[in-house]
Structures are given as C-alpha cells and as structure tokens.
Amino acid sequence: MSDLEYDGQIKKKCLPTLPPCKVCGEHASGFHYGVNSCGACKGFFLRSLARTEPYTCLTGGQCQVGPEVKRRKTCQKCRFDKCLRLGMSKNAIKIGRYTYSKRTQDTLELKQLKHETLAQEEESSGSECESSLQKGSPESDEHLQSIQPELPRLHLLQERLNSGTSGNTISSEPTRFSCKHSTSYWPNSILENESGSTDSESHDTTETGSRFELVPATKSRVLELHFNKNVAIEKTFLKSTYGNFSYSPKFNQPKKLELRYLGGAGEDFHQRNEWDADVRALSIPSDDLKEKALSCELLNEHLEIDEWEDKEEEEDEEICEHTRDVLPWSSEFTEHQLHEWIQALLNYHNTNVFDNNSYDKAKLKERTDLVYNEHRLQETTFGQLKALDRELYFEIYKSTGLDVDGRRTLLSSFLLGIHNEISTVIKFFKQIPGFRELPMSDQILLVKGCSHEYQILSLYRGWDNKTRCMTFSPLGETLTEQDLRKVFPDEALSAHIDMAVALQKLDLTVEQIIILKAIVATAPDRDELASEELVAAIHWKLVNCLLLLLWKQGRHPLQKFGQIMSVLTEMRKYSVFIRSSYTNIRSDVEELTGRVNLPFIYELFF
Amino acid sequence: MSDLEYDGQIKKKCLPTLPPCKVCGEHASGFHYGVNSCGACKGFFLRSLARTEPYTCLTGGQCQVGPEVKRRKTCQKCRFDKCLRLGMSKNAIKIGRYTYSKRTQDTLELKQLKHETLAQEEESSGSECESSLQKGSPESDEHLQSIQPELPRLHLLQERLNSGTSGNTISSEPTRFSCKHSTSYWPNSILENESGSTDSESHDTTETGSRFELVPATKSRVLELHFNKNVAIEKTFLKSTYGNFSYSPKFNQPKKLELRYLGGAGEDFHQRNEWDADVRALSIPSDDLKEKALSCELLNEHLEIDEWEDKEEEEDEEICEHTRDVLPWSSEFTEHQLHEWIQALLNYHNTNVFDNNSYDKAKLKERTDLVYNEHRLQETTFGQLKALDRELYFEIYKSTGLDVDGRRTLLSSFLLGIHNEISTVIKFFKQIPGFRELPMSDQILLVKGCSHEYQILSLYRGWDNKTRCMTFSPLGETLTEQDLRKVFPDEALSAHIDMAVALQKLDLTVEQIIILKAIVATAPDRDELASEELVAAIHWKLVNCLLLLLWKQGRHPLQKFGQIMSVLTEMRKYSVFIRSSYTNIRSDVEELTGRVNLPFIYELFF
DNA sequence: GAAATAGGTCACGAGGTCAA
DNA sequence: TTGACCTCGTGACCTATTTC
Ligand SMILES: [Zn+2]
Ligand SMILES: [Zn+2]
Ligand SMILES: [Zn+2]
Ligand SMILES: [Zn+2]
C-alpha cells in the first residue's frame, strides 16, 4: 500500500518519482501549491486556506508533523504552519506537466535522500562495488523498467535520461552537452531505444550528465569493451607540454596518464623561459616593486573577501571512494569524484559567470551577423571610414583631447565590462576545490597569471571569422574588426584572433571550456608559486575532469586531448605576448581611460 | 521562473531574445497569433477559440493577468479578453522563419496602417475592413495600440504633473515630484537672499507646516538638542521636512532642535507608502517575495563582505571628550568629535570614491566644453541628427535588434560605469561611524533608499547648463544633451537637470557634498527601518558635521543650511520621481542591456 | 535545411465530492 | 475533518507545416 501514491489518478505501483511529502513524509502525490506533498496534505492545506478561524496549538508550536499513522493527534496549527513555512501558497501553484528541469531536480533530491539513508545504514562495501557503476540507482533502474509498460517509448528515454542527469542546476540546460556529436561512448544498444526520433535535439542532448550513472551494472562490461576498442584505435602517442610540467599520457602499455614534474629540465622549459625573459625585458620598462606590491594588496583584499563569503559547502567525503577501474584511462580518481568537481564548476559557472559562453553558437552568430550588416550598411551609406592609425590618434588626442574616432569610448567600456566581471571570475576560481586552501600569495599569482588565458577562453566563441566581428558579452557589444583595431594594438589583435581561431577549431563544448578555464587557472608552473605541488594536484585532477568530458563526448577523446593541450601550450605563449603588448601601451590606455576607475584591470592584465 | 522559454524546442538558457509575453509577462516563446507570447498563453488562446461557451468573469473584468504563479486570481475571461485586446487572432498568424528585416517591415507597416486608419476614421468605429491590407481585423488595430504602451502613459503623466492633481490610478502618483510646484518648507526670507531669483519655485508652507503643528509633543522622544545664543541671531523659524521626519530647528524661544519621529501619522506618510506599494507592484511584475528576497541577498552579500573586511579601526574613545562649548550652535557633540567624523569620511572618499567630485570645476568645464565643441563640429559637418523618439527606437530594436542610434551602447556603458562603482560606494557608507553596526536589513534599506540621491550628489557637478552637457566620471565620458536623451526618459532627464541646477546653486564645496552623501545615506525615515533611532542619531551627528563645515566656511551658515535642507527635501521627491520613472522603463532597459551583467543596478535604482 | 509556429498530446494539479 | 477519488483546465513538449 505504501507504494501507491494517491490523489490524482492512482499511480501505478512503482518506486517513487518524487521525493516524499515535505510536510508529513508520506509519499508525495505531486507538486501541490509549490511543494512536493501528499494528497492529504494538499487537501488539508486547501481546507485551511478556506477556513476563517485560525487553528490553535496546545504545545506552543512544538508538535511533530509525521506520516498519517502518527498524525492522528498532531495539531492542525502546526501542520498548517509547516505548510506555510515550506512555502505552500496559492501563489506558488504550478500546473501542468513537469518541466525537465523540475523532474531532474526531483530525481536528484530523491537520489540524495537515498544516498543519505544508505550511508546511514552502512552497508558492506564489497558487494556495493561490484554492483555498479553506481549504486545510487539500482532503484532508478528498476523504476524505469517498471514504468516502461505504460509509457510511450519516447517518454521512456526521457525519463531515463532525466533521472540520470545529475547536473541539477538552475539552467538545467540539457543542450549543453554535446550537440551533433552525441556519439556518446555508450553502446548503441543502450541509446537505440529512442533512435526513431533522433533528429529532435532535445533528446540526444538531454543528457549526458551521467549517463554513466544510470547504466545498470551488467552493461558496464560492454562499456569497458567499448573503451578498450577506442583506446586501441587511438594508438597515438600524444604529448603536450606547457611550462615545466609535462602531461604525457601513455596509452599503450601502462594505460596510465602520468603527471611528472620535470623539475625545469625539459627543453621546452628552457625555451619558454628565455623567450619569456626577453619579452619581459622589453615589456616592463618602468615598473617597480612598490607599485607591484601595492596592486597586490588590492587583489589580496578581493580574494580574502571571497574567502569569507560562501564558505559552507565543504565536502569531506573525499576519503574512501574505492578506485573503481571504470575510467578508460584509469587514473587515481573515480569517475564519481571527477564528476563532482565538474558539476561544482559547471553549476557555479552557469549560474554566475556571464560571458560569451553564456550564449550558444547560433546566438553569437546572430550578433555578429547583425553588427556586420549594420556596419556594411553604414559603409555603403557613408563610405569606408578609414581607420586612424594609433599614433595619429594619440597625437590628436594629446593635443586636442578629441576622441576623434570614438576609441576612447570603446576602450573605456571594454575595460569596464571586463572589470565588472572580475569579482565573479575570482569567485569562480574559488569554486575549484582546493583553490581556497592555497596560500593567498599563490592564489594571487594564479589569478594574475591566468588572466589573459581566462579571458580568451571566455570570449573566443564570440569571434566570427567570416564577418570578422567579435562579440563581448560582458560588455553587451559586438565590435567590428575596425573597432577592434581601435581597442587593441594590431599585433595583439592578430594574436587574439589567431588564438580564437585555434580554439574554435577544437570545437569544444561549453562544459569543456569551463573546465579549461579552471585548468589554466591552476597552472602549477607560474613563477614563484609557494605550493606548486598542491596546485599541481588540483591541476591534475582538473585535467582528468577534462578527459572525462572528452571521453563522454566520444570521437577520439585522446586525440582531442592532445590537440587541446597543444593549444594550451600555445595559449601560454599567447598570454605572455599579450601581456607584453598591453604593457607597451599601458600608458596610452591609462591616459585614455584615466577617468574611469579600473584598479583591477591594470593589476591583472598589464 | 526559469530562464528557459518553453513551447517549441526548449530554448537555450541565454538571455531572452524576445520581449516578455504581452499577455502575462512570462518569457515569451515566440510570436503566436500575432503577438509575442508565452507557450501557455498561446495554448490558452487556442483552447479559448475552440470553446463554445463564453467565459465569465466574477470581478467585472478587473482581474490582473499575470504570470502563472499569480494566475490563480485571474479569470479566464479576463485572460482571453486581454489576448484579444492585444490582437491575438488567427488572422495574425505568422508561420515560418522570418528575417529581421521582415519583422521590422511588418511592425512599421502595421504602425503606419494604424495611423492612417486613425486619421481616416477619427473616432468613428466604422468599417475596418476597408483599411486592411491583409490583417485588417479589429484585433490588429488594438494590437497596434499595444505596441506602444509606454509613450501614451508618459504623456498622461506629464499632464498630471502639470495639473498637479492626484488621481488614484497608479500612474498618477508621480505627481509628487512636480517641478513647478516644488514645495519648500523654508520661509522665503531665507531663500530669497542668495539664490537670487527663485523664479519658478513657489514656497508654500501649508501642508506639511500644519501637519507638523498637529503632532503631539509627547511623540518627540528622540533627540533633544540644545542651541545656544549664537543661534538667536538668525531670528528665523526654520522648518524642514523630508519624509516623515522633521527637522525643526527652532531658534527663538526654546532654542532647541527637535528631531521628532512622526510615527507615520502624517498623511504624506500614508500616501507615500501606498504609492510605493503601487510602484512595486508595477515594477516587479513577474515575481514578488522570492525575487525580492533574492535580490536582497545580493546586496546583503555585498554588505556583509565589506563588513568583514576592514574591521580594525574601531574607535571606542567615544566616551569622555568633555563637551567644549566651542560650537556656535552648541550641540551635544564637540567640534573634535565632529571633525573626526568628517575626516574619516573625507579621507575615505578622497582616496577611494571616484566620481565627478574627484575633479575640480575647471576640469569639468573643460570636459564639457570639449565635448560640446566636438558635437557642434559634427553637427555642422553631418547636419543635425534628429534624435529618434524612444518609442520608435524600441520598435525598431525589438523587431530587428538594431541599435540604430547607439543608445544601447550608451546605456550599457552608463550602467556599467555606475555598477562598477557600487562596491566603493557601499564601502563609503560603511565608513560612516555606526553604519556598520546597524542591522543588515537597515543597511540594505538605507543603501537602496538613497541610491538616486547619492548619484545626483556624485554627478551633479558634471552638468554644464550652458553647453548642456554632462560629465560622468565613473564612465569616463561626457554626454551631450542629445545623448542624454537616449539614456534617460525625457521627464527623468528634466528632473535630473533641475536637481543638478538646484544643487549647483548651493555652490557647495566638495567636503560638504561628501558629508551630504552621508546624510542622505542615513535618512532615518526610510520605510521600515528596524532601528530608526540609531539611524536618526547618526544622521543627526552628520547634520552637525555639515553645520560645522558651514560654519567654518563663514558666510551665513544657517542660511545656507536652510537652503541645503530645502534642496534635500526636494531631492527626496526627486528621488521618488526618478525611481518611478525608471521603473516605468525598466523592461526596456533590461531588454537593451540584457547582455550585460548588472545585478546591482536593478536592485538599487529601479 | 534551418528556423519558426500552429496545433496536437497528455502528464499534471486545483478544487470539488463524498464516505468514513 | 479527513483523505481517496474525480473532473477538467493547463502548459511542457512534440509534430507537422510553412517560410526563408
Ligand atoms: Zn503529507
Ligand atoms: Zn501544535
Ligand atoms: Zn503569457
Ligand atoms: Zn476576470
């Protein structure tokens, strides 16, 4: 009997889709008045609203509100109060079919609950391991199967995919994961169910999140085979290096990725450093310690602030988690661990960080096309306006103060836009597990060090090579090449564009980009890091996260990984170059934007 | 609630492309039956058409049609009627992909049509068929009206302003800030002296004056401040009121300044509160508590952060400091105490806050002149560019996304500039001794409450009445009147300008302005303050600081004080007016700057 | 083919009813 | 009063179709 949910149609006997009634703990029959609740509580609430006299409580509001059996005596006041406290309200009514995101949320909640109770019961670990890719869901699986008979095929898959998504999140954004390439690494046999309507994106997109998690234990063998095959096919030995850390995934024999510290011995290391030194000699003409120290204070402040805030969600389950050998490249991390990191970063990013990655490709294209057409129209109307060269502009500006071609305005708002996002970005870094625990000096070094790399990752998707326009979401603008030339020195612009194009060629998903951001933020080879090893550890785990995402996406993950690492290496050089280029024009920029208050900009980017 | 737009394919998380559902305000999912509307309203309309029996309304057609969460109150009839009124109709169906240009064309065409038919028919309801191209249905007429809801309302508002009568409709309330009818509570004798011709301003002391008299003496419980003889020189009876707090320095007999809390007993108080509620109802269309709570969290966060940081310099020498009777008006404070407050605020402001007060007059003048000349040059070269009216701009923008006259850019960078300074501003408030000790909720109320007053104090010196240009230091720009019109609604701009001019007439020093900022930030009469008395105490001490500065400056300090208080009173009305004006255009602004991330702006200024 | 919408489908909850 | 059960309007999602 307890398996049935009453109210509304009698639900079939099946495991609950919803978390239990928030009010009394019984099986919820639905989402009533804004709260997952049982039919009884729903009815009670409705009647309570209709009532005129208030309830009274004898115990002074201390009554427990439990499931029906125990409820017999519980007072109405406390029950009603609880309803209200939980947010039940006519204003919270939501009718009609569930949204995917709601369903996802429910499932997640349910899962969590299960997890907790399971943890309490403390099962023996051996059997658990065997059973699965993940334990959380034997039920869900059963659940799916039991629903099967009565749902049309289509819904089945949705149901499954949804319940699998552990990417909770407000955005819930199914489409985020993989678009066309949804050749996920799941055997077709699993996905086929749905194959009929493959075209509709909303399906195959609906989730990757962790298809992993939903897959019944029996299938995991299939998976492994699949992996092995893939890996075997790869056969490529990829190597990517940036800084003095080498990521040398070796695929054939040991099937392990090794993280080794080259201790500054690698050739690349020397090369880069020399080049670095040269660039620096050129680029930092006047600066001295004093100014540097001062500016550090600013950043320091910021970092400390953020540290203070949002400090609750520490997770310390870290410890056990038996290393299940399901990851195709077999790392010291479990898929679950990696997944959690990924989720944490994605969640924060999706809900808080605002940049070009907040838009999909189509939207960005739309923007650039629009601006381009506008620009073309202007050109045909007013003729081509020849761009002033930088020197000439400054000559005029310095002598007359005239902003002849509007570049001061452009530059100011560009910098303002960037500046405006900085605190969010820092908070994002703080979401990287372990980041906050680093010494403040290291945090500062890392943040400073990755600024340019972070920026290009934020923005590169806004570049459209055909129209040669660039969208800057934080600024709310799209600039034509002509305008870009006003903002950036020519050589810097070329570098930006080259970098953007290179990144675009990788055809990364937004998820991957986000993880990449974290990866560049934790480069263990920034100069003078106090605790390189800690940083390296974080970094390495993040790299594993990236690998996981790549694998999920299917299609030659290792090859892609190699490409990405290669681009990262390039990006490092790019970063140094941009910094030097900016430093060269720093005084000009300061003069132009001196009226605007942009402390962080100079601290981070110059 | 989510960022997703339903119906049709699931849209991506990105910011809305479309204006909200014209019917209910929810995210529109497309252009259904000729109107931008959400999936729900689309479905509802469809069902309604299919229906045979008509709907009936119980409230006589007065139901508000809101988003789903609020919808329970609204009957189907009213919803359907609204659909019809907006022009939803099978005849208005548009299928298939559309180009931007087509949309513009459509909209403009329709508008034209509307004008023509209006002209032809002149109120007679006659044959509508004749005027139609293809969608000549009566609905489409109404549809047209609905396209331009803002403007008519503004006209209405202006009318009301001029007539000075207060109606009971929502929009009528802004009457409170009437330029012509500015009620000052200062006797003419004082104001006349210096500001020369107070031309348009009439000073009638009637309403508040008498109200004040009625207040029972018993209610004054807060601070009693003794004046000494020096004050007697003034001979004038000064009275100033803003909000429901009265500052009544009485100089002759009792020689006391009474700060009394009127306890919300005045009519003004009630009026204002109601009005506030209305404005809120208007301005926060989609959601109430939840959203509000959320937004408060944002601010809260900010305030808390700042609280954590810089917390060392607590001073507790407070206690003794023998009251030396050196102050000419003899307050309970010593000059030394006041001086310290002043110094603290000035120091912080000078080193951290960046606004027009960071520049001297000459510099500001130079800026405006420069821009003005530039502007003139452009005008002579390209001819006068007639400014697009707001309505037309938005029509084009909404349908094509084109930022035809660059106002989106202007607006975005304007808001960005303001947004960028907000954290500094909050820190400034935190420098006010005692501010940090206020309950967080009060801090929030105060910060929110004074936003507009603070802003005008920050910026007013940037206005140059001759060239009619305004410098915005935080933005690094100076805007011509033409540009200003793009950023602000006309009536708001006028209010800004009037206020700026009024402030300029006071000829304040930067120090005085800074103290004034603190004064407006601690207005003890903001709604719902938990600890009014604490705030009042701080406020009062700040007023004493101002007095001190005035005295130091010599030259009729009390007279000047009176003028300043008078302007503050006006400023309060100005603030309310501006807020309402902004609220009216909030959705437009959000649409234009939706690409930029400006959480605080909406929280503080709308 | 891509982008958009009309119309269809059906999972859902509000509110009503009624027996206990 | 309670809560199981019902009816019907809703709205999230889907498909077919149109337009570019
Ligand atoms: Zn319950
Ligand atoms: Zn009780
Ligand atoms: Zn709607
Ligand atoms: Zn009605």
Side-chain angles (χ1 to χ4, degrees), chain A residues 90-96 99-101 170-176 201-202 301 304-306 308-309 349-354 358-360 363 366-367 370 374 377 382 397 400-404 408-410 412-413 416-417 419-421 424 427 473-478 592 594-598, chain B residues 2-4 6 9-17 68-70 72-73 100 288 301 304-306 308-309 352-354 359 363 366-367 370-371 373-374 377 382 397 400-404 408-410 412-413 416-417 419-421 424 427 471-478 592 594-598:
Chain A
K90 285 223 184 194
N91 288 331
I93 287 177
K94 182 77 194 54
I95 31 191
T99 317
Y100 282 142
S101 60
I170 297 164
S171 57
S172 93
E173 177 68 60
T175 7
R176 291 244 153 184
E201 331 155 46
S202 37
E301 193 179 324
E304 270 167 2
I305 295 169
D306 294 326
W308 181 243
E309 124 192 81
H349 197 283
N350 287 336
T351 51
N352 295 283
V353 177
F354 182 78
S358 311
Y359 294 100
D360 61 27
K363 205 81 196 169
E366 188 184 296
R367 290 282 310 151
L370 185 67
E374 196 175 347
L377 195 73
F382 299 108
Y397 184 75
T400 68
L402 279 178
D403 180 25
V404 278
R408 205 202 37 200
T409 307
L410 267 178
S412 298
S413 43
L416 263 174
H419 194 254
N420 211 35
E421 285 295 309
T424 317
K427 283 185 200 158
S473 299
L475 167 67
E477 290 293 338
T478 299
L592 274 185
R595 297 192 179 76
V596 191
N597 196 17
L598 302 163
Chain B
S2 66
D3 287 341
L4 302 174
Y6 293 101
Q9 283 66 23
I10 299 173
K11 302 280 167 65
K12 313 298 147 51
K13 175 190 140 198
C14 10
L15 305 219
T17 334
E68 179 183 9
V69 147
K70 294 249 164 194
R72 280 295 124 185
K73 288 183 291 185
Y100 283 122
D288 38 274
E301 193 179 322
E304 270 167 2
I305 293 168
D306 294 326
W308 180 244
E309 132 191 73
N352 296 284
V353 178
F354 183 77
Y359 293 101
K363 202 88 203 160
E366 187 185 298
R367 289 284 307 151
L370 184 67
V371 170
N373 290 333
E374 196 176 346
L377 194 72
F382 299 107
Y397 184 76
T400 67
L402 279 180
D403 181 24
V404 278
R408 203 199 41 192
T409 307
L410 266 178
S412 297
S413 43
L416 262 175
H419 194 254
N420 211 36
E421 284 296 308
T424 316
K427 284 186 201 159
T471 296
F472 296 90
S473 299
L475 168 64
E477 288 294 337
T478 298
L592 276 186
R595 295 191 181 80
V596 192
N597 196 18
L598 301 165

Side-chain angles (χ1 to χ4, degrees), chain B residues 21 23-26 38 41:
Chain B
C21 170
V23 181
C24 73
E26 215 128 1
C38 67
C41 289

Side-chain angles (χ1 to χ4, degrees), chain B residues 28-242:
Chain B
S29 73
F31 197 67
H32 306 293
Y33 302 100
V35 170
N36 280 319
S37 45
C38 67
C41 289
K42 166 196 144 192
F44 171 78
F45 185 73
L46 182 64
R47 281 192 304 275
S48 300
L49 289 184
R51 248 179 104 95
T52 52
E53 320 96 275
Y55 295 127
T56 52
C57 168
L58 297 175
T59 72
Q62 299 304 313
C63 311
Q64 291 287 325
V65 182
E68 179 183 9
V69 147
K70 294 249 164 194
R71 182 129 62 232
R72 280 295 124 185
K73 288 183 291 185
T74 92
C75 72
Q76 298 163 308
K77 174 168 174 39
C78 290
R79 191 180 183 188
F80 186 50
D81 281 352
K82 187 164 184 191
C83 290
L84 291 175
R85 205 172 343 112
L86 289 169
M88 285 178 94
S89 152
K90 286 221 184 192
N91 299 327
I93 287 178
K94 158 98 187 54
I95 299 185
R97 151 182 229 169
Y98 51 70
T99 57
Y100 283 122
S101 59
K102 171 123 180 47
R103 255 205 184 177
T104 332
Q105 224 178 339
D106 281 352
T107 323
L108 291 179
E109 204 172 273
L110 280 171
K111 186 186 169 193
Q112 184 126 14
L113 204 77
K114 168 67 184 170
H115 277 304
E116 282 168 12
T117 50
L118 257 190
Q120 281 178 8
E121 298 180 2
E122 285 193 282
E123 289 183 17
S124 76
S125 56
S127 53
E128 67 283 342
C129 295
E130 150 199 13
S131 69
S132 63
L133 267 178
Q134 81 277 38
K135 324 175 172 181
S137 63
E139 293 100 341
S140 60
D141 266 359
E142 289 184 72
H143 168 43
L144 291 167
Q145 272 174 357
S146 73
I147 289 182
Q148 14 157 327
E150 291 88 4
L151 206 68
R153 201 192 283 164
L154 292 188
H155 286 315
L156 237 186
L157 204 151
Q158 262 165 6
E159 269 172 29
R160 304 257 179 171
L161 283 177
N162 292 333
S163 71
T165 47
S166 64
N168 46 8
T169 59
I170 293 161
S171 60
S172 73
E173 285 298 348
T175 332
R176 309 201 102 257
F177 182 74
S178 82
C179 308
K180 304 203 166 176
H181 202 61
S182 141
T183 52
S184 161
Y185 307 118
W186 298 95
N188 289 341
S189 57
I190 286 185
L191 294 173
E192 267 170 6
N193 287 338
E194 195 158 346
S195 26
S197 65
T198 54
D199 46 20
S200 63
E201 303 173 345
S202 70
H203 311 280
D204 72 68
T205 56
T206 56
E207 80 185 82
T208 324
S210 51
R211 172 163 75 83
F212 181 78
E213 307 283 1
L214 291 180
V215 176
T218 53
K219 282 203 176 174
S220 95
R221 57 192 161 114
V222 190
L223 295 172
E224 289 206 345
L225 307 156
H226 302 272
F227 273 66
N228 78 6
K229 299 163 202 163
N230 292 355
V231 179
I233 298 171
E234 275 304 324
K235 301 243 176 185
T236 335
F237 186 89
L238 298 178
K239 229 192 274 174
S240 142
T241 306
Y242 53 89

Side-chain angles (χ1 to χ4, degrees), chain A residues 113 339 448:
Chain A
L113 255 159
H339 191 71
K448 281 188 168 190

Side-chain angles (χ1 to χ4, degrees), chain A residues 519-536:
Chain A
I519 288 177
V520 300
T522 52
D525 58 328
R526 304 282 177 205
D527 284 346
E528 299 170 29
L529 277 183
S531 39
E532 293 163 357
E533 296 180 16
L534 283 180
V535 177

